Amino acid sequence: MQDCLWFCLGCLMVALGIIGAVLPVMPTTVFLIAAVGCFTRSSPRLAQVLLQHPRYGPSLRLWREQGAVSSKGKALAAAGMAVGYALFWWKAHPMLPLALTVAALLAASAAWVVTRPAPRTCPPRLEQHLD
């Protein structure tokens, strides 16, 4: 039963990651990292499929092996949060308390991502995908 729950949660995380790949205001890699964790507990074969993905695999492996984020990943994450906040401000016209709360949460999230360690030396096959 527990494997089934991990599997379903992993599928949900992949679905959210796919949505994030299409919508600029939603992350992709964060959900795929969570999916790998879920699939590791329920379906190691699916975890390997994600880890071997040509586009997202290098970032997922880097996070899993080193807890690191490339400089390009940090910049894209911070820029995505800034664009997302600008769109939120422009379209939602939030009241000041909500606008400040969302800004603080996004700033904290961006700070957390930016302060993750840089990748240590990587095998040449990973370096081409990181920066």
Side-chain angles (χ1 to χ4, degrees):
M1 180 67 177
Q2 191 174 7
D3 284 351
C4 182
L5 291 175
W6 282 118
F7 180 80
C8 290
L9 187 58
C11 289
L12 175 64
M13 294 296 111
V14 168
L16 292 172
I18 291 169
I19 292 168
V22 176
L23 297 177
V25 296
M26 197 166 155
T28 300
T29 308
V30 171
F31 290 116
L32 295 181
I33 288 170
V36 168
C38 294
F39 288 144
T40 298
R41 292 168 180 81
S42 63
S43 176
R45 183 181 63 81
L46 288 177
Q48 283 304 309
V49 168
L50 288 175
L51 290 169
Q52 297 303 318
H53 189 275
R55 179 172 175 98
Y56 299 107
S59 296
L60 298 173
R61 289 190 305 273
L62 186 61
W63 177 258
R64 187 175 206 185
E65 295 165 6
Q66 299 181 22
V69 178
S70 70
S71 56
K72 180 180 178 182
K74 292 176 186 183
L76 288 173
M81 288 182 226
V83 168
Y85 184 75
L87 289 172
F88 163 71
W89 182 271
W90 178 50
K91 289 291 190 178
H93 306 289
M95 295 178 62
L96 187 60
L98 178 60
L100 292 175
T101 301
V102 171
L105 290 172
L106 286 175
S109 298
W112 187 84
V113 168
V114 170
T115 59
R116 295 308 86 204
R120 295 185 301 269
T121 56
C122 299
R125 63 180 180 80
L126 279 181
E127 288 177 349
Q128 64 184 344
H129 297 288
L130 297 179
D131 286 321

